[in-house]
Amino acid sequence: MTLLVFAVVAVGLLADLANLLNFQHYPALRAEVVMVAAALILAAAAMAGLHRLAQPRLAFAFTGLYVALLIDLGSTLNNLVFPISAAVIAALAWWNERAVLKLSLAAFLSVLAFQAFDLIAGAESHAAPRNEAKMLQPEAKANPKLRPIVHLMLDSYIGLEGMSAADTNFGTLRQEQERFYLDHGFQFYPQAYSRHPKTINALPEFLSYGRAAHATEPRNVQSTVAPPLAYFRDLDRTGYRISALTPSFVDLCPNQPMTLCRNYNRSDLSALVTSGLSVPDRARIIGFTLLELSQFTALLGGTADLKLAELRGSHERHLYNRAKLYSMTGLRQLDAVSADLSTLQFGEMRFVHLLLPHDPYVLDEHCRLLPEALWIDEHGPAPLHERDAAFARQARCMTNQGLSRLLDQLERTEAGRAAIVIVQGDHGSRAIDAIPAAGGALPSPREMAVLHSAFFAIRVPGEAASEVPGRFALDELIGGFAASGFTAAPHPVAGPAEVWLMDPNWIPTQRIALPPFTQKFPKN
């Protein structure tokens, strides 16, 4: 019986690994994959040993839990479905455990064979990303005389006043960013702010000019579909051919008029292949990603990790963050977006949402990738001053290297030189331990700055580079750009500076005034 349990668990875990590699387009014949597979086989041996200790009275319960867990790792069962599945399988195992194990082994062998074949067959080529736009624009409406627009939404890109706010440690980042954007012909808005600290609420707000209805159902989810947004509607009516490239957690594709829309995997394991990380680092990240596929293992592992960290007084990264490759994916996507600008044409509007300079903060001062254990996350546990400094390094590399290459690419074509370029954040860096909730104490000055200060700059050929005074919400700035007919930098009339606090389900429920961001030093 113990050997059969080992076979079921080992084959099931290897099938789940193969499934993950297929989904992520990760090559199987690599040292880190062999290392992960070996660790899974050892885990299977340990689990078989526990099953043996539970014999004869409780072994059936372990069988139910193991089989349900293996299914969950491959298919992500609902919170309620997982315990029900474990209970049903355990009941069947109580009746005839050997039959349940044999059937499970046959099923997992079939999955492993299928996934292995897919890995081999797919090693040579992958299907091109599909167009996910549902409201396709008719070609007849396009106006090829319109000046192109390239709109970059850079996630967690804190505004200039946030970079120099009191009780922060971003160093000289503000001065460097101002110089970069002035040198590249932009008008920038140091006092720009977002009304929300979460993209899932911020994006619909500013892309509807502040008119989108706020959520009334829980928003703390892994993905959501954006409602129809006025920004894309008005671009369509103006005659623009619209394309969007976004991470999958805020899906623009179903409800916006577009010619092309693609969602990309926001935490792309395949970015590891050419990353330069060590084999053990790559193996650990693959293993952590596999653990996160099951809510049971994610909860169990995360809870144990937090308790151990408390006992040891550790400032090492939390387990639930160690599967996140958001910024590595963002850096890779930024290079791809830059290369693709060689095809930009008049009449096009390209909207790109990148998880940069979003955490984890993975770069050193020379813009080289750090070992995974040295990465830093926005909500800790690293000290706040280290988080700010790490964010500054990542933002500096993003502009000086990634955005420089993108702007250089635009200079190579007539359409690129004529393009209006918008670079904006969606909220602040969020480098705090926890986001203050509605109904509690009001956010501190630091919290206000790192949550709500948001970057905004625009380059319009023919308009002079400058600093634009005034305190504007992102929805006011996007609305002002639309009001110009998408032809000029916005100069809106500012309304009351107000932001929203969320309940535990990320629903905005409390509107509060946004005080000015206290500055470390007066600007000369």
Side-chain angles (χ1 to χ4, degrees):
M1 180 75 78
T2 301
L3 187 58
L4 182 57
V5 171
F6 169 74
V8 169
V9 177
V11 171
L13 287 173
L14 292 175
D16 290 330
L17 174 61
N19 179 52
L20 173 65
L21 298 177
N22 266 321
F23 177 76
Q24 297 276 358
H25 304 302
Y26 202 95
L29 300 178
R30 293 183 60 86
E32 60 270 21
V33 175
V34 173
M35 187 177 289
V36 174
L40 293 177
I41 291 170
L42 288 174
M47 292 167 74
L50 285 175
H51 182 277
R52 183 179 181 85
L53 291 175
Q55 293 175 7
R57 295 183 178 178
L58 294 177
F60 71 92
F62 278 81
T63 294
L65 178 62
Y66 289 174
V67 175
L69 175 61
L70 293 168
I71 295 171
D72 193 23
L73 285 169
S75 58
T76 312
L77 300 176
N78 180 275
N79 280 347
L80 290 176
V81 173
F82 176 79
I84 292 171
S85 299
V88 169
I89 296 167
L92 292 172
W94 179 79
W95 174 64
N96 192 334
E97 187 174 12
R98 187 172 292 276
V100 169
L101 289 169
K102 286 183 177 180
L103 285 172
S104 299
L105 180 59
F108 293 141
L109 277 170
S110 298
V111 173
L112 180 58
F114 175 80
Q115 294 292 350
F117 175 80
D118 217 26
L119 276 172
I120 296 169
E124 297 300 323
S125 62
H126 299 297
R130 63 189 179 91
N131 185 3
E132 300 175 56
K134 304 299 182 187
M135 297 176 59
L136 285 171
Q137 296 175 285
E139 289 188 20
K141 285 182 62 178
N143 182 350
K145 296 181 180 180
L146 293 171
R147 175 176 282 174
I149 299 172
V150 177
H151 189 156
L152 301 178
M153 191 185 101
L154 302 177
D155 211 296
S156 299
Y157 198 4
I158 192 171
L160 292 166
E161 281 210 342
M163 294 176 189
S164 55
D167 199 27
T168 61
N169 186 42
F170 298 110
T172 58
L173 183 63
R174 174 175 180 168
Q175 297 92 314
E176 295 165 14
Q177 298 285 289
E178 287 183 352
R179 176 48 51 196
F180 176 89
Y181 284 98
L182 284 173
D183 288 348
H184 287 86
F186 282 82
Q187 299 170 67
F188 57 82
Y189 299 70
Q191 298 181 68
Y193 68 93
S194 173
R195 300 192 192 274
H196 302 276
K198 287 286 185 182
T199 307
I200 208 163
N201 294 314
L203 184 147
E205 179 92 18
F206 62 72
L207 291 182
S208 68
Y209 321 139
R211 299 172 194 159
H214 288 166
T216 57
E217 297 181 354
R219 303 302 298 269
N220 53 341
V221 292
Q222 292 301 309
S223 62
T224 189
V225 174
L229 299 168
Y231 184 58
F232 296 113
R233 177 202 66 200
D234 293 344
L235 285 162
D236 176 60
R237 290 176 178 175
T238 303
Y240 275 100
R241 300 188 309 279
I242 305 167
S243 65
L245 178 70
T246 65
S248 52
F249 67 92
V250 182
D251 191 353
L252 296 174
C253 299
N255 293 321
Q256 320 306 325
M258 291 188 177
T259 296
L260 177 65
C261 187
R262 289 175 178 164
N263 289 308
Y264 61 85
N265 178 0
R266 62 183 180 268
S267 189
D268 187 359
L269 274 183
S270 65
L272 294 175
V273 175
T274 57
S275 67
L277 284 174
S278 68
V279 170
D281 269 355
R282 296 198 297 268
R284 276 192 289 269
I285 293 170
I286 294 170
F288 296 144
T289 303
L290 190 61
L291 282 176
E292 288 293 309
L293 296 180
S294 164
Q295 296 190 42
F296 176 78
T297 55
L299 178 62
L300 184 65
T303 302
D305 174 66
L306 288 174
K307 293 299 181 185
L308 286 172
E310 287 177 12
L311 290 172
R312 295 162 51 205
S314 170
H315 280 191
E316 294 179 4
R317 300 182 72 206
H318 293 314
L319 187 63
Y320 54 78
N321 282 326
R322 300 185 75 172
K324 294 177 181 176
L325 297 174
Y326 298 157
S327 49
M328 273 188 65
T329 302
L331 290 165
R332 189 183 192 190
Q333 289 289 345
L334 179 55
D335 287 341
V337 167
S338 299
D340 194 45
L341 285 175
S342 63
T343 63
L344 183 70
Q345 298 178 2
F346 283 86
E348 274 194 81
M349 186 277 178
R350 298 190 183 184
F351 182 85
V352 179
H353 176 188
L354 298 176
L355 293 174
L356 279 176
H358 196 290
D359 78 326
Y361 310 130
V362 301
L363 301 175
D364 68 11
E365 63 272 18
H366 303 293
C367 302
R368 297 174 303 205
L369 195 63
L370 290 161
E372 184 273 332
L374 299 181
W375 296 359
I376 290 178
D377 305 293
E378 63 183 28
H379 295 316
L384 290 174
H385 70 277
E386 291 184 15
R387 289 181 237 173
D388 287 350
F391 174 92
R393 289 196 301 269
Q394 193 140 293
R396 188 177 295 116
C397 293
M398 177 190 73
T399 50
N400 294 347
Q401 294 193 2
L403 290 182
S404 286
R405 286 192 292 268
L406 183 146
L407 296 172
D408 287 345
Q409 179 63 54
L410 286 173
E411 291 300 313
R412 297 176 185 176
T413 65
E414 181 184 1
R417 290 188 292 274
I420 294 173
V421 182
I422 297 173
V423 181
Q424 69 157 102
D426 55 344
H427 47 67
S429 65
R430 298 190 308 206
I432 54 177
D433 293 335
I435 296 176
L442 292 179
S444 69
R446 176 195 161 85
E447 289 171 335
M448 282 291 200
V450 300
L451 287 174
H452 294 288
S453 175
F455 191 87
F456 192 91
I458 183 170
R459 184 172 77 179
V460 180
E463 294 187 10
S466 66
E467 174 181 325
V468 181
R471 199 164 199 224
F472 305 108
L474 292 177
D475 53 271
E476 294 169 337
L477 292 168
I478 298 295
F481 178 52
S484 76
F486 306 105
T487 61
H491 294 279
V493 176
E498 295 176 329
V499 297
W500 288 86
L501 300 180
M502 306 176 296
D503 70 9
N505 290 314
W506 298 2
I507 299 172
T509 57
Q510 183 182 354
R511 184 168 56 185
I512 61 172
L514 180 68
F517 302 131
T518 305
Q519 298 295 287
K520 287 184 175 182
F521 40 80
K523 194 172 187 306
N524 295 326

